[in-house]
Amino acid sequence: GKFTAYDFQGKPLGFTVDAGPQFVGRSPDETQVVNDAIYYRGEDQTIIRADAQGSRKLDGIPAENLSVFKVSPDEQLIAWTMTCSR
């Protein structure tokens, strides 16, 4: 299946995202809608940005032990936390 992207007023954003295994069992902290894009954790735990032009992995964010992420409203900054074993 596929997810169809809509804005908060219900207007379609013009793209879909595959509703594959990357969304099964995910918490709300692992998916975020910002402006006309969806940010989510991929199967390999990297962060992916999807919009009407397509999807791309975000470089420079360590996937190993990545816990939660948040994207700023202007999409210029991303904050994330990592879990560490002691």
Side-chain angles (χ1 to χ4, degrees):
K2 293 187 177 281
F3 291 115
T4 300
Y6 294 90
D7 69 13
F8 289 109
Q9 286 73 44
K11 177 185 142 207
L13 295 177
F15 69 99
T16 61
V17 175
D18 286 332
Q22 69 267 22
F23 289 105
V24 176
R26 298 288 185 190
S27 76
D29 289 329
E30 296 175 294
T31 306
Q32 186 178 350
V33 176
V34 182
N35 301 315
D36 293 343
I38 299 172
Y39 291 81
Y40 64 93
R41 300 273 299 274
E43 289 183 56
D44 62 357
Q45 301 303 307
T46 58
I47 298 174
I48 298 171
R49 182 186 187 280
D51 63 14
Q53 285 71 49
S55 300
R56 68 178 176 89
K57 290 182 182 182
L58 302 183
D59 296 327
I61 301 171
E64 187 175 343
N65 300 320
L66 181 64
S67 179
V68 176
F69 71 92
K70 295 293 179 194
V71 179
S72 66
D74 64 3
E75 298 183 73
Q76 297 300 305
L77 301 171
I78 298 177
W80 67 86
T81 61
M82 298 175 68
T83 56
C84 298
S85 59
R86 292 183 179 208

